[in-house]
Amino acid sequence: MKYLYRLYQLVVCVPVVVIWSVIISLMIIIGCAVGGGRFWGYYPGKWWGWLIVRIFLLPVKVVGKGDLERDKSYVFVANHQGAFDIFLIYGFLGRNIRWMMKHQILKIPFVGAACKASHQIIIDKRGPKRIKASYDQAREILKEGVSLMVFPEGARTFTGHMGYFTRGAYMLADELQLPVVPITINGSFDVLPRTRDWHFINWHPLSITIHQPIYPIGQGSTNVASTMTDSYSAVMGDLVPEYQGMVENPDQ
């Protein structure tokens, strides 16, 4: 069965993913250029992520999100298990989001141009001015009623376990007095661990748990620290036992 699944990936999945990614990227670039960036900056990405998960025949379970207000901005924070985190969140979170992502993404043909056109938040740490520009852009996005999606670890895990969370997203949420919503991802590391990039994927169920929003308890360092601690505990607490516990990530 494993080899039939690998053959299916080669014959069906890879061509579909490549062609679909180009089509969606062009759709985003053209759509955002014409107008309606709020729509074109999100929905094509949602269709892209949904189809990629489905074409690989991966079952998905979504838990939670019942207490989120329809038109409110949130800062979503999730553990970063693997490459399929992006497809899973885009396809199944069900919120109009923009991503905080590394500037290296811009080098990917078509995808990089689509990210730039749709005003994803590109985090460029090559100097204070670039970092400030990234956070200034994030503030404007959040003021428009769109939510922000962040992997506060900043890098995919090597072991399936969580590393530490960085403060950037929490400081932004504190400044704008926005609720933080923790998300736990399970299964993505088993589907495609970072150490096996560009290999065949493994069939494994995926799940995304959307926890209760954490509202500000004030403003300043105490609120930032409290929100970080509470969200980290929520994400960690719903991981499968195999990946419980913090393991330092050398790439952070």
Side-chain angles (χ1 to χ4, degrees):
M1 196 68 180
K2 179 177 73 173
Y3 294 106
L4 281 176
Y5 186 47
R6 288 185 174 183
L7 180 62
Y8 170 75
Q9 290 179 46
L10 282 174
V11 175
V12 178
C13 297
V14 172
V16 168
V17 168
V18 171
I19 294 170
W20 186 233
S21 297
V22 172
I23 291 172
I24 288 294
S25 296
L26 292 173
M27 191 183 300
I28 292 171
I29 294 166
I30 295 169
C32 289
V34 171
R38 189 183 178 100
F39 178 91
W40 294 107
Y42 168 63
Y43 282 98
K46 176 181 171 64
W47 306 330
W48 174 72
W50 184 91
L51 183 65
I52 289 176
V53 172
R54 292 308 188 195
I55 200 70
F56 281 100
L57 309 178
L58 301 173
V60 175
K61 181 180 180 181
V62 180
V63 180
K65 78 179 179 182
D67 292 338
L68 301 185
E69 298 177 37
R70 182 177 179 86
D71 296 318
K72 187 175 182 62
S73 292
Y74 295 93
V75 176
F76 292 95
V77 295
N79 58 314
H80 203 0
Q81 281 207 331
F84 270 75
D85 297 342
I86 296 169
F87 311 135
L88 181 62
I89 290 173
Y90 238 154
F92 297 89
L93 178 60
R95 301 291 299 198
N96 195 325
I97 56 172
R98 296 295 181 272
W99 295 80
M100 272 194 167
M101 56 180 63
K102 294 182 177 180
H103 68 90
Q104 290 89 342
I105 297 292
L106 296 178
K107 297 179 181 179
I108 301 175
F110 293 99
V111 173
C115 289
K116 189 173 182 179
S118 57
H119 300 292
Q120 307 301 326
I121 314 302
I122 308 301
I123 299 299
D124 191 339
K125 297 182 179 180
R126 296 173 297 178
K129 288 185 178 180
R130 293 181 179 181
I131 294 173
K132 182 180 182 301
S134 299
Y135 282 93
D136 288 345
Q137 184 186 1
R139 287 186 193 93
E140 294 306 312
I141 290 293
L142 287 165
K143 289 175 182 177
E144 293 173 1
V146 176
S147 293
L148 188 64
M149 183 68 232
V150 186
F151 294 119
E153 293 167 277
R156 289 174 292 160
T157 176
F158 285 97
T159 64
H161 299 79
M162 287 168 56
Y164 60 82
F165 279 3
T166 56
R167 294 166 53 89
Y170 296 97
M171 294 174 69
L172 193 59
D174 174 71
E175 178 186 333
L176 299 176
Q177 289 291 279
L178 293 175
V180 170
V181 181
I183 293 175
T184 302
I185 294 171
N186 279 299
S188 180
F189 182 78
D190 300 285
V191 168
L192 186 63
R194 182 175 181 177
T195 52
R196 292 184 58 80
D197 280 349
W198 306 108
H199 286 67
F200 289 103
I201 76 161
N202 304 307
W203 187 93
H204 194 281
L206 295 167
S207 73
I208 175 172
T209 301
I210 304 161
H211 298 278
Q212 294 294 321
I214 301 171
Y215 289 90
I217 58 171
Q219 191 165 22
S221 58
T222 300
N223 178 54
V224 171
S226 174
T227 307
M228 283 184 66
T229 299
D230 290 349
S231 63
Y232 193 92
S233 297
V235 176
M236 176 74 78
D238 207 57
L239 282 174
V240 296
E242 181 181 357
Y243 299 128
Q244 288 282 335
M246 199 277 277
V247 174
E248 187 174 348
N249 186 336
D251 202 25
Q252 284 192 280

